[in-house]
Amino acid sequence: MNKFWNFTENDDGSRTLYLCGSIADESWFDDDVTPKAFKSDLNAGQGDIVVWINSPGGDCVAAAQIYNMLMDYKGNVTIKIDGIAASAASVIAMAGTKVLMSPTALMMIHNPLTVAIGDSEEMQKAIDMLTEVKESIINAYEIKTELSRAKLSHLMDAETWMNANKAIELGFADDLLFKSDEGSASAENSFTFSRRAVTNSLLSKVKGHKPEKTAGTPVSDLEKRLNLIKP
């Protein structure tokens, strides 16, 4: 069993949980061992827990079970995102009593994915399954953000990336880590950006690829805002 989590004991009696890398190298579907091991570690102590997340996501079944365990935990659960909480990792983040993000952190939500093979009936079963998985994920987002299900569905359809201010604005996070006395920058100045914009910018930097224009925003301006390419 490859553990992607690590608990540490703090001097004040609280504990810190680190979730780094992919959420489970293999699916927790039909896995009785790994979920029990995580729950055993979680319940091995008492008191409040700080959960540091830096994960691109992974298995949605594992994320769902970790979310449930953290929601059921008796102490306060403070989520701190210092790198990225994408895909399944964003679901786990929703279990926080309070969710804090580094000013440089990112959160991403999108529709669930799967691989299917078979005839048209099997394909339809896969579509139906993904639809229900999406609804279950929306349940977690809805409880935390209080956004409408339609709004959340649209954000997932668009594969939405959020910086810390945007995540706070939409209710996915509560506040910034390392916030100065003057407070954070206005959420109105924050933005979401698409996978295509990021991919184009990276290709332009690494390969000299000429990026596609993004609707409504000149590419040069977008690149400067993302700070991925020198102007």
Side-chain angles (χ1 to χ4, degrees):
M1 178 180 61
N2 187 13
K3 292 175 64 174
F4 55 89
W5 69 88
N6 181 46
F7 281 93
T8 62
E9 297 284 344
N10 302 320
D11 294 338
D12 61 1
S14 64
R15 290 182 298 157
T16 301
L17 165 62
Y18 296 93
L19 294 176
C20 300
S22 297
I23 305 300
D25 291 334
E26 298 181 0
S27 176
W28 282 19
F29 183 77
D30 200 30
D31 181 355
D32 294 330
V33 176
T34 313
K36 286 182 179 179
F38 182 90
K39 189 170 185 177
S40 176
D41 287 350
L42 176 63
N43 294 329
Q46 297 179 347
D48 298 338
I49 291 180
V50 173
V51 182
W52 287 89
I53 297 179
N54 181 26
S55 170
D59 177 33
C60 65
V61 176
Q65 289 188 287
I66 294 172
Y67 169 86
N68 293 332
M69 293 175 193
L70 293 176
M71 288 290 285
D72 191 53
Y73 185 72
K74 301 305 179 183
N76 289 322
V77 176
T78 300
I79 301 291
K80 295 185 177 181
I81 302 168
D82 59 341
I84 185 172
S87 189
S90 71
V91 176
I92 295 174
M94 298 301 97
T97 308
K98 180 178 288 187
V99 179
L100 307 175
M101 290 181 66
S102 164
T104 61
L106 292 169
M107 184 180 290
M108 185 272 279
I109 65 172
H110 68 162
N111 288 330
L113 309 174
T114 191
V115 176
I117 188 172
D119 57 20
S120 59
E121 289 188 4
E122 292 300 321
M123 295 299 100
Q124 187 58 54
K125 290 178 182 177
I127 292 171
D128 293 341
M129 179 270 291
L130 287 174
T131 299
E132 293 305 315
V133 172
K134 179 177 180 176
E135 291 299 316
S136 71
I137 294 172
I138 289 177
N139 289 339
Y141 293 153
E142 183 182 28
I143 291 171
K144 175 63 181 174
T145 67
E146 298 184 351
L147 294 174
S148 70
R149 298 183 73 85
K151 172 70 172 178
L152 291 166
S153 178
H154 176 72
L155 291 172
M156 294 173 71
D157 290 342
E159 187 176 287
T160 301
W161 289 79
M162 296 169 277
N163 69 39
N165 287 325
K166 191 67 179 184
I168 293 168
E169 176 188 350
L170 293 176
F172 289 91
D174 299 303
D175 209 344
L176 290 174
L177 286 167
F178 323 124
K179 188 168 65 173
S180 66
D181 292 338
E182 289 77 15
S184 62
S186 170
E188 293 179 358
N189 295 324
S190 61
F191 56 90
T192 59
F193 51 95
S194 68
R195 177 173 58 183
R196 185 175 70 173
V198 175
T199 302
N200 285 339
S201 295
L202 290 173
L203 285 173
S204 179
K205 181 178 181 182
V206 175
K207 299 181 180 179
H209 173 77
K210 184 177 181 180
E212 301 175 30
K213 287 194 177 293
T214 304
T217 305
V219 173
S220 59
D221 291 342
L222 178 62
E223 292 168 352
K224 291 176 183 178
R225 287 162 59 193
L226 292 177
N227 292 323
L228 291 175
I229 303 177
K230 294 181 180 179

